[in-house]
Amino acid sequence: MISVNKYRNLTWIDVESPTADETAHLVEEYGIPALASRELLTKTFRSKVDLYHNLIYIILHFPKLHAKDTKSVEQEIDFLLGKDFLITVHYEKIDALAHCAQTFESHTIIDKGSMGDHAGFLFFHLIKELYKASMHELEEINRLLRVIEKNIFDGSEGKMVEAISTTNRKLLDFKQALRFHGDVLASFELAGKQFYGESFSYYLSAISGEYNKVRNVLDGHKEILWDLRDTNDSLLSWKTNQTMKQLTILTFIMLPLTLITGIFGMNSDIIYINNTGDFFIVLGAMGCLAIFMFLYFKSKKWF
């Protein structure tokens, strides 16, 4: 499906899940090289920048985290930047691009006087919107981190083990999706200066700056999650040690009582209990011994 947006001399063509006929139409109308046109038909697992005589071809992958499950997918977007046109190709609906289309149609960006005279400026606004969407995804992860922190210190360390693992997986998938952006944007800076001129260099640096913002927030979330995991592990270890200590003390208390019970339970003519009074005497002695050991451990502050 092809959507065309125009303003003055600029044209933005947004293509979702292109067919062979649609790709052929784009090749004929905008002079897309044959090598690039073949890559438009299917998803590409690698990000890259190619500079041709009449356009720049960029492939980037953006993360998309689903709120209702733990999976994260990469959304691929192919950008073909000409002098007065920009083609975006993707293989599923992308909300950030849909929002950009609305602002482009309503001239929201243009009315602010921020649109330049070539397609590089349009790409600048699109990439800012895409990174803004990534920041929103990271804000959701930040909310999860706050929930995890609260639950850890509210005594729910055991339940947080799975939550920490799930959040860590989301961050890993997020990082995986953005792993090539730094290199690709660095290459695009060189290609963009050559294609659009030195006057566009500020915007090229600003694009890298938008990516660095996302990367810094992502790294910050990773560090916070590691700290929360260490804290959670420490609290779990402390609780486990406390439980083991109490069980050990209980074992020490019960050991002499078990020994006494075993001795008086032997089938022997030497050790025996003749009547009920003898039984309660032995039972009382065992109770006094248990109380003595309990008070001894208590005085040592072992529990």
mmCIF file of all heavy atoms in Angstrom, residues 161-203:
data_model
loop_
_atom_site.group_PDB
_atom_site.id
_atom_site.type_symbol
_atom_site.label_atom_id
_atom_site.label_comp_id
_atom_site.label_asym_id
_atom_site.label_seq_id
_atom_site.Cartn_x
_atom_site.Cartn_y
_atom_site.Cartn_z
ATOM 1 N N VAL A 161 11.906 -12.063 41.175
ATOM 2 C CA VAL A 161 12.930 -12.746 40.374
ATOM 3 C C VAL A 161 12.465 -12.870 38.927
ATOM 4 O O VAL A 161 13.205 -12.555 37.976
ATOM 5 C CB VAL A 161 13.249 -14.133 40.970
ATOM 6 C CG1 VAL A 161 14.170 -14.913 40.032
ATOM 7 C CG2 VAL A 161 13.892 -13.988 42.341
ATOM 8 N N GLU A 162 11.228 -13.301 38.730
ATOM 9 C CA GLU A 162 10.692 -13.447 37.374
ATOM 10 C C GLU A 162 10.498 -12.085 36.714
ATOM 11 O O GLU A 162 10.785 -11.911 35.519
ATOM 12 C CB GLU A 162 9.364 -14.198 37.416
ATOM 13 C CG GLU A 162 8.758 -14.433 36.029
ATOM 14 C CD GLU A 162 7.470 -15.228 36.071
ATOM 15 O OE1 GLU A 162 7.075 -15.660 37.184
ATOM 16 O OE2 GLU A 162 6.852 -15.416 35.013
ATOM 17 N N ALA A 163 10.014 -11.102 37.485
ATOM 18 C CA ALA A 163 9.801 -9.761 36.926
ATOM 19 C C ALA A 163 11.115 -9.145 36.465
ATOM 20 O O ALA A 163 11.177 -8.501 35.409
ATOM 21 C CB ALA A 163 9.125 -8.872 37.966
ATOM 22 N N ILE A 164 12.172 -9.332 37.238
ATOM 23 C CA ILE A 164 13.488 -8.801 36.859
ATOM 24 C C ILE A 164 13.985 -9.484 35.587
ATOM 25 O O ILE A 164 14.523 -8.830 34.679
ATOM 26 C CB ILE A 164 14.486 -8.982 38.011
ATOM 27 C CG1 ILE A 164 14.144 -8.044 39.168
ATOM 28 C CG2 ILE A 164 15.919 -8.729 37.543
ATOM 29 C CD1 ILE A 164 14.966 -8.270 40.408
ATOM 30 N N SER A 165 13.804 -10.794 35.502
ATOM 31 C CA SER A 165 14.247 -11.530 34.315
ATOM 32 C C SER A 165 13.476 -11.082 33.069
ATOM 33 O O SER A 165 14.060 -10.906 31.995
ATOM 34 C CB SER A 165 14.065 -13.031 34.538
ATOM 35 O OG SER A 165 14.849 -13.486 35.610
ATOM 36 N N THR A 166 12.161 -10.877 33.223
ATOM 37 C CA THR A 166 11.342 -10.436 32.090
ATOM 38 C C THR A 166 11.748 -9.052 31.620
ATOM 39 O O THR A 166 11.881 -8.792 30.412
ATOM 40 C CB THR A 166 9.858 -10.436 32.497
ATOM 41 O OG1 THR A 166 9.469 -11.752 32.888
ATOM 42 C CG2 THR A 166 8.987 -9.990 31.333
ATOM 43 N N THR A 167 11.966 -8.142 32.566
ATOM 44 C CA THR A 167 12.374 -6.782 32.212
ATOM 45 C C THR A 167 13.762 -6.777 31.574
ATOM 46 O O THR A 167 14.019 -6.029 30.619
ATOM 47 C CB THR A 167 12.366 -5.879 33.451
ATOM 48 O OG1 THR A 167 11.074 -5.942 34.073
ATOM 49 C CG2 THR A 167 12.666 -4.443 33.082
ATOM 50 N N ASN A 168 14.641 -7.614 32.083
ATOM 51 C CA ASN A 168 15.992 -7.708 31.507
ATOM 52 C C ASN A 168 15.929 -8.200 30.061
ATOM 53 O O ASN A 168 16.674 -7.723 29.192
ATOM 54 C CB ASN A 168 16.848 -8.643 32.346
ATOM 55 C CG ASN A 168 18.303 -8.633 31.915
ATOM 56 O OD1 ASN A 168 18.926 -7.593 31.826
ATOM 57 N ND2 ASN A 168 18.847 -9.799 31.635
ATOM 58 N N ARG A 169 15.026 -9.124 29.801
ATOM 59 C CA ARG A 169 14.862 -9.617 28.433
ATOM 60 C C ARG A 169 14.385 -8.495 27.505
ATOM 61 O O ARG A 169 14.860 -8.369 26.366
ATOM 62 C CB ARG A 169 13.856 -10.770 28.416
ATOM 63 C CG ARG A 169 13.570 -11.298 27.015
ATOM 64 C CD ARG A 169 12.516 -12.367 27.019
ATOM 65 N NE ARG A 169 12.166 -12.764 25.664
ATOM 66 C CZ ARG A 169 11.211 -13.630 25.351
ATOM 67 N NH1 ARG A 169 10.514 -14.197 26.326
ATOM 68 N NH2 ARG A 169 10.954 -13.925 24.104
ATOM 69 N N LYS A 170 13.463 -7.667 27.989
ATOM 70 C CA LYS A 170 12.988 -6.554 27.169
ATOM 71 C C LYS A 170 14.116 -5.589 26.845
ATOM 72 O O LYS A 170 14.244 -5.117 25.708
ATOM 73 C CB LYS A 170 11.863 -5.824 27.903
ATOM 74 C CG LYS A 170 10.559 -6.599 27.976
ATOM 75 C CD LYS A 170 9.471 -5.779 28.638
ATOM 76 C CE LYS A 170 8.144 -6.547 28.635
ATOM 77 N NZ LYS A 170 7.059 -5.756 29.249
ATOM 78 N N LEU A 171 14.936 -5.305 27.846
ATOM 79 C CA LEU A 171 16.051 -4.385 27.620
ATOM 80 C C LEU A 171 17.079 -4.978 26.659
ATOM 81 O O LEU A 171 17.648 -4.272 25.818
ATOM 82 C CB LEU A 171 16.718 -4.041 28.950
ATOM 83 C CG LEU A 171 15.903 -3.137 29.881
ATOM 84 C CD1 LEU A 171 16.598 -2.977 31.219
ATOM 85 C CD2 LEU A 171 15.664 -1.775 29.239
ATOM 86 N N LEU A 172 17.310 -6.279 26.775
ATOM 87 C CA LEU A 172 18.242 -6.932 25.856
ATOM 88 C C LEU A 172 17.725 -6.887 24.420
ATOM 89 O O LEU A 172 18.485 -6.624 23.475
ATOM 90 C CB LEU A 172 18.481 -8.382 26.292
ATOM 91 C CG LEU A 172 19.336 -8.588 27.541
ATOM 92 C CD1 LEU A 172 19.350 -10.062 27.937
ATOM 93 C CD2 LEU A 172 20.760 -8.093 27.315
ATOM 94 N N ASP A 173 16.431 -7.144 24.247
ATOM 95 C CA ASP A 173 15.834 -7.081 22.915
ATOM 96 C C ASP A 173 15.879 -5.655 22.364
ATOM 97 O O ASP A 173 16.099 -5.438 21.173
ATOM 98 C CB ASP A 173 14.389 -7.575 22.963
ATOM 99 C CG ASP A 173 14.302 -9.079 23.190
ATOM 100 O OD1 ASP A 173 15.313 -9.767 22.987
ATOM 101 O OD2 ASP A 173 13.221 -9.565 23.581
ATOM 102 N N PHE A 174 15.652 -4.684 23.245
ATOM 103 C CA PHE A 174 15.715 -3.280 22.844
ATOM 104 C C PHE A 174 17.118 -2.930 22.353
ATOM 105 O O PHE A 174 17.294 -2.294 21.306
ATOM 106 C CB PHE A 174 15.340 -2.412 24.045
ATOM 107 C CG PHE A 174 14.754 -1.080 23.677
ATOM 108 C CD1 PHE A 174 13.392 -0.859 23.733
ATOM 109 C CD2 PHE A 174 15.577 -0.040 23.287
ATOM 110 C CE1 PHE A 174 12.851 0.375 23.405
ATOM 111 C CE2 PHE A 174 15.055 1.198 22.949
ATOM 112 C CZ PHE A 174 13.683 1.410 23.005
ATOM 113 N N LYS A 175 18.100 -3.358 23.128
ATOM 114 C CA LYS A 175 19.493 -3.095 22.760
ATOM 115 C C LYS A 175 19.860 -3.813 21.470
ATOM 116 O O LYS A 175 20.600 -3.272 20.634
ATOM 117 C CB LYS A 175 20.410 -3.545 23.892
ATOM 118 C CG LYS A 175 21.872 -3.212 23.678
ATOM 119 C CD LYS A 175 22.701 -3.607 24.888
ATOM 120 C CE LYS A 175 24.167 -3.253 24.695
ATOM 121 N NZ LYS A 175 24.975 -3.619 25.895
ATOM 122 N N GLN A 176 19.338 -5.013 21.294
ATOM 123 C CA GLN A 176 19.614 -5.784 20.084
ATOM 124 C C GLN A 176 19.085 -5.066 18.851
ATOM 125 O O GLN A 176 19.735 -5.035 17.798
ATOM 126 C CB GLN A 176 18.965 -7.169 20.210
ATOM 127 C CG GLN A 176 19.170 -8.088 19.019
ATOM 128 C CD GLN A 176 20.535 -8.746 19.018
ATOM 129 O OE1 GLN A 176 21.354 -8.484 19.890
ATOM 130 N NE2 GLN A 176 20.764 -9.613 18.051
ATOM 131 N N ALA A 177 17.902 -4.459 18.977
ATOM 132 C CA ALA A 177 17.303 -3.769 17.830
ATOM 133 C C ALA A 177 18.109 -2.534 17.434
ATOM 134 O O ALA A 177 18.223 -2.209 16.248
ATOM 135 C CB ALA A 177 15.865 -3.385 18.158
ATOM 136 N N LEU A 178 18.690 -1.853 18.418
ATOM 137 C CA LEU A 178 19.403 -0.600 18.149
ATOM 138 C C LEU A 178 20.907 -0.776 17.962
ATOM 139 O O LEU A 178 21.627 0.213 17.834
ATOM 140 C CB LEU A 178 19.165 0.383 19.301
ATOM 141 C CG LEU A 178 17.729 0.847 19.540
ATOM 142 C CD1 LEU A 178 17.675 1.751 20.760
ATOM 143 C CD2 LEU A 178 17.177 1.576 18.326
ATOM 144 N N ARG A 179 21.368 -2.003 17.930
ATOM 145 C CA ARG A 179 22.809 -2.258 18.025
ATOM 146 C C ARG A 179 23.614 -1.649 16.877
ATOM 147 O O ARG A 179 24.803 -1.338 17.047
ATOM 148 C CB ARG A 179 23.076 -3.762 18.111
ATOM 149 C CG ARG A 179 22.664 -4.559 16.878
ATOM 150 C CD ARG A 179 22.665 -6.056 17.156
ATOM 151 N NE ARG A 179 22.323 -6.865 16.004
ATOM 152 C CZ ARG A 179 21.081 -7.089 15.593
ATOM 153 N NH1 ARG A 179 20.067 -6.541 16.234
ATOM 154 N NH2 ARG A 179 20.851 -7.848 14.540
ATOM 155 N N PHE A 180 23.020 -1.480 15.689
ATOM 156 C CA PHE A 180 23.773 -0.963 14.540
ATOM 157 C C PHE A 180 23.518 0.517 14.275
ATOM 158 O O PHE A 180 24.112 1.079 13.347
ATOM 159 C CB PHE A 180 23.439 -1.761 13.284
ATOM 160 C CG PHE A 180 23.859 -3.209 13.358
ATOM 161 C CD1 PHE A 180 22.929 -4.222 13.150
ATOM 162 C CD2 PHE A 180 25.168 -3.551 13.644
ATOM 163 C CE1 PHE A 180 23.312 -5.560 13.224
ATOM 164 C CE2 PHE A 180 25.549 -4.888 13.718
ATOM 165 C CZ PHE A 180 24.619 -5.900 13.508
ATOM 166 N N HIS A 181 22.660 1.149 15.053
ATOM 167 C CA HIS A 181 22.279 2.527 14.740
ATOM 168 C C HIS A 181 23.468 3.479 14.797
ATOM 169 O O HIS A 181 23.575 4.385 13.964
ATOM 170 C CB HIS A 181 21.186 3.002 15.701
ATOM 171 C CG HIS A 181 19.826 2.528 15.317
ATOM 172 N ND1 HIS A 181 18.717 3.343 15.305
ATOM 173 C CD2 HIS A 181 19.386 1.308 14.918
ATOM 174 C CE1 HIS A 181 17.656 2.660 14.922
ATOM 175 N NE2 HIS A 181 18.034 1.415 14.692
ATOM 176 N N GLY A 182 24.331 3.307 15.777
ATOM 177 C CA GLY A 182 25.469 4.205 15.908
ATOM 178 C C GLY A 182 26.348 4.198 14.677
ATOM 179 O O GLY A 182 26.708 5.260 14.131
ATOM 180 N N ASP A 183 26.705 3.013 14.197
ATOM 181 C CA ASP A 183 27.559 2.904 13.011
ATOM 182 C C ASP A 183 26.851 3.409 11.758
ATOM 183 O O ASP A 183 27.462 4.083 10.910
ATOM 184 C CB ASP A 183 27.996 1.449 12.808
ATOM 185 C CG ASP A 183 28.901 0.959 13.928
ATOM 186 O OD1 ASP A 183 29.558 1.806 14.566
ATOM 187 O OD2 ASP A 183 28.941 -0.263 14.177
ATOM 188 N N VAL A 184 25.553 3.062 11.631
ATOM 189 C CA VAL A 184 24.798 3.474 10.446
ATOM 190 C C VAL A 184 24.675 4.994 10.386
ATOM 191 O O VAL A 184 24.876 5.618 9.327
ATOM 192 C CB VAL A 184 23.400 2.817 10.440
ATOM 193 C CG1 VAL A 184 22.510 3.445 9.376
ATOM 194 C CG2 VAL A 184 23.526 1.311 10.190
ATOM 195 N N LEU A 185 24.363 5.624 11.522
ATOM 196 C CA LEU A 185 24.206 7.076 11.531
ATOM 197 C C LEU A 185 25.539 7.784 11.313
ATOM 198 O O LEU A 185 25.590 8.865 10.710
ATOM 199 C CB LEU A 185 23.572 7.521 12.848
ATOM 200 C CG LEU A 185 22.118 7.062 13.048
ATOM 201 C CD1 LEU A 185 21.598 7.525 14.404
ATOM 202 C CD2 LEU A 185 21.220 7.574 11.932
ATOM 203 N N ALA A 186 26.628 7.185 11.791
ATOM 204 C CA ALA A 186 27.947 7.770 11.535
ATOM 205 C C ALA A 186 28.255 7.752 10.037
ATOM 206 O O ALA A 186 28.787 8.728 9.483
ATOM 207 C CB ALA A 186 29.012 7.004 12.317
ATOM 208 N N SER A 187 27.912 6.646 9.389
ATOM 209 C CA SER A 187 28.113 6.568 7.940
ATOM 210 C C SER A 187 27.179 7.523 7.201
ATOM 211 O O SER A 187 27.555 8.138 6.191
ATOM 212 C CB SER A 187 27.872 5.137 7.451
ATOM 213 O OG SER A 187 28.784 4.238 8.049
ATOM 214 N N PHE A 188 25.961 7.662 7.722
ATOM 215 C CA PHE A 188 25.003 8.567 7.082
ATOM 216 C C PHE A 188 25.462 10.023 7.175
ATOM 217 O O PHE A 188 25.194 10.823 6.264
ATOM 218 C CB PHE A 188 23.629 8.403 7.721
ATOM 219 C CG PHE A 188 22.605 9.366 7.205
ATOM 220 C CD1 PHE A 188 22.234 9.361 5.869
ATOM 221 C CD2 PHE A 188 22.025 10.302 8.046
ATOM 222 C CE1 PHE A 188 21.290 10.263 5.382
ATOM 223 C CE2 PHE A 188 21.081 11.200 7.572
ATOM 224 C CZ PHE A 188 20.714 11.187 6.235
ATOM 225 N N GLU A 189 26.142 10.383 8.255
ATOM 226 C CA GLU A 189 26.661 11.746 8.372
ATOM 227 C C GLU A 189 27.599 12.067 7.211
ATOM 228 O O GLU A 189 27.545 13.146 6.614
ATOM 229 C CB GLU A 189 27.390 11.932 9.707
ATOM 230 C CG GLU A 189 26.471 12.129 10.900
ATOM 231 C CD GLU A 189 27.210 12.664 12.108
ATOM 232 O OE1 GLU A 189 27.967 13.647 11.945
ATOM 233 O OE2 GLU A 189 27.040 12.102 13.200
ATOM 234 N N LEU A 190 28.477 11.124 6.896
ATOM 235 C CA LEU A 190 29.412 11.334 5.783
ATOM 236 C C LEU A 190 28.670 11.396 4.454
ATOM 237 O O LEU A 190 28.927 12.278 3.622
ATOM 238 C CB LEU A 190 30.456 10.220 5.767
ATOM 239 C CG LEU A 190 31.336 10.095 7.019
ATOM 240 C CD1 LEU A 190 32.247 8.879 6.908
ATOM 241 C CD2 LEU A 190 32.158 11.366 7.224
ATOM 242 N N ALA A 191 27.738 10.447 4.260
ATOM 243 C CA ALA A 191 26.993 10.414 3.001
ATOM 244 C C ALA A 191 26.097 11.636 2.871
ATOM 245 O O ALA A 191 25.955 12.209 1.777
ATOM 246 C CB ALA A 191 26.163 9.133 2.921
ATOM 247 N N GLY A 192 25.474 12.059 4.004
ATOM 248 C CA GLY A 192 24.570 13.209 3.961
ATOM 249 C C GLY A 192 25.276 14.499 3.627
ATOM 250 O O GLY A 192 24.750 15.343 2.874
ATOM 251 N N LYS A 193 26.483 14.700 4.151
ATOM 252 C CA LYS A 193 27.257 15.906 3.825
ATOM 253 C C LYS A 193 27.606 15.933 2.339
ATOM 254 O O LYS A 193 27.576 16.989 1.690
ATOM 255 C CB LYS A 193 28.523 15.950 4.665
ATOM 256 C CG LYS A 193 28.287 16.248 6.138
ATOM 257 C CD LYS A 193 29.589 16.221 6.916
ATOM 258 C CE LYS A 193 29.357 16.445 8.406
ATOM 259 N NZ LYS A 193 30.623 16.385 9.180
ATOM 260 N N GLN A 194 27.934 14.768 1.806
ATOM 261 C CA GLN A 194 28.293 14.699 0.394
ATOM 262 C C GLN A 194 27.076 14.912 -0.506
ATOM 263 O O GLN A 194 27.166 15.557 -1.551
ATOM 264 C CB GLN A 194 28.937 13.340 0.091
ATOM 265 C CG GLN A 194 29.373 13.170 -1.354
ATOM 266 C CD GLN A 194 30.076 11.827 -1.575
ATOM 267 O OE1 GLN A 194 30.533 11.187 -0.623
ATOM 268 N NE2 GLN A 194 30.155 11.417 -2.833
ATOM 269 N N PHE A 195 25.920 14.402 -0.047
ATOM 270 C CA PHE A 195 24.720 14.425 -0.882
ATOM 271 C C PHE A 195 23.972 15.746 -0.763
ATOM 272 O O PHE A 195 23.478 16.286 -1.774
ATOM 273 C CB PHE A 195 23.809 13.262 -0.493
ATOM 274 C CG PHE A 195 22.723 12.976 -1.477
ATOM 275 C CD1 PHE A 195 22.995 12.342 -2.677
ATOM 276 C CD2 PHE A 195 21.403 13.333 -1.208
ATOM 277 C CE1 PHE A 195 21.978 12.068 -3.592
ATOM 278 C CE2 PHE A 195 20.390 13.059 -2.103
ATOM 279 C CZ PHE A 195 20.676 12.428 -3.298
ATOM 280 N N TYR A 196 23.867 16.279 0.475
ATOM 281 C CA TYR A 196 23.080 17.490 0.702
ATOM 282 C C TYR A 196 23.927 18.739 0.957
ATOM 283 O O TYR A 196 23.388 19.846 1.004
ATOM 284 C CB TYR A 196 22.133 17.296 1.898
ATOM 285 C CG TYR A 196 21.050 16.280 1.645
ATOM 286 C CD1 TYR A 196 20.993 15.090 2.367
ATOM 287 C CD2 TYR A 196 20.061 16.500 0.690
ATOM 288 C CE1 TYR A 196 19.987 14.160 2.154
ATOM 289 C CE2 TYR A 196 19.060 15.582 0.456
ATOM 290 C CZ TYR A 196 19.028 14.403 1.198
ATOM 291 O OH TYR A 196 18.032 13.492 0.970
ATOM 292 N N GLY A 197 25.204 18.548 1.176
ATOM 293 C CA GLY A 197 26.072 19.698 1.408
ATOM 294 C C GLY A 197 26.377 19.925 2.874
ATOM 295 O O GLY A 197 25.710 19.396 3.768
ATOM 296 N N GLU A 198 27.396 20.731 3.118
ATOM 297 C CA GLU A 198 27.853 21.001 4.485
ATOM 298 C C GLU A 198 26.807 21.725 5.321
ATOM 299 O O GLU A 198 26.821 21.648 6.543
ATOM 300 C CB GLU A 198 29.142 21.817 4.455
ATOM 301 C CG GLU A 198 30.370 21.039 4.030
ATOM 302 C CD GLU A 198 30.771 19.994 5.068
ATOM 303 O OE1 GLU A 198 30.480 20.200 6.259
ATOM 304 O OE2 GLU A 198 31.373 18.982 4.673
ATOM 305 N N SER A 199 25.910 22.455 4.686
ATOM 306 C CA SER A 199 24.893 23.202 5.432
ATOM 307 C C SER A 199 23.954 22.288 6.205
ATOM 308 O O SER A 199 23.266 22.739 7.128
ATOM 309 C CB SER A 199 24.087 24.087 4.474
ATOM 310 O OG SER A 199 23.424 23.286 3.501
ATOM 311 N N PHE A 200 23.922 21.037 5.832
ATOM 312 C CA PHE A 200 23.033 20.067 6.500
ATOM 313 C C PHE A 200 23.751 19.339 7.640
ATOM 314 O O PHE A 200 23.163 18.495 8.292
ATOM 315 C CB PHE A 200 22.522 19.054 5.463
ATOM 316 C CG PHE A 200 21.398 18.177 5.961
ATOM 317 C CD1 PHE A 200 20.232 18.718 6.454
ATOM 318 C CD2 PHE A 200 21.527 16.793 5.921
ATOM 319 C CE1 PHE A 200 19.188 17.911 6.898
ATOM 320 C CE2 PHE A 200 20.498 15.968 6.372
ATOM 321 C CZ PHE A 200 19.322 16.536 6.854
ATOM 322 N N SER A 201 25.005 19.661 7.894
ATOM 323 C CA SER A 201 25.805 18.912 8.863
ATOM 324 C C SER A 201 25.241 19.009 10.276
ATOM 325 O O SER A 201 25.319 18.051 11.053
ATOM 326 C CB SER A 201 27.258 19.386 8.843
ATOM 327 O OG SER A 201 27.329 20.770 9.144
ATOM 328 N N TYR A 202 24.670 20.184 10.644
ATOM 329 C CA TYR A 202 24.102 20.329 11.986
ATOM 330 C C TYR A 202 22.981 19.318 12.209
ATOM 331 O O TYR A 202 22.901 18.679 13.263
ATOM 332 C CB TYR A 202 23.569 21.744 12.189
ATOM 333 C CG TYR A 202 22.694 21.862 13.409
ATOM 334 C CD1 TYR A 202 23.238 21.942 14.687
ATOM 335 C CD2 TYR A 202 21.304 21.879 13.273
ATOM 336 C CE1 TYR A 202 22.426 22.027 15.809
ATOM 337 C CE2 TYR A 202 20.486 21.965 14.389
ATOM 338 C CZ TYR A 202 21.047 22.036 15.653
ATOM 339 O OH TYR A 202 20.231 22.112 16.759
ATOM 340 N N TYR A 203 22.113 19.160 11.233
ATOM 341 C CA TYR A 203 20.986 18.245 11.362
ATOM 342 C C TYR A 203 21.451 16.788 11.401
ATOM 343 O O TYR A 203 20.861 15.950 12.080
ATOM 344 C CB TYR A 203 19.990 18.470 10.221
ATOM 345 C CG TYR A 203 19.322 19.814 10.291
ATOM 346 C CD1 TYR A 203 19.883 20.907 9.635
ATOM 347 C CD2 TYR A 203 18.165 20.004 11.023
ATOM 348 C CE1 TYR A 203 19.284 22.161 9.707
ATOM 349 C CE2 TYR A 203 17.551 21.247 11.090
ATOM 350 C CZ TYR A 203 18.123 22.321 10.436
ATOM 351 O OH TYR A 203 17.533 23.554 10.524
#
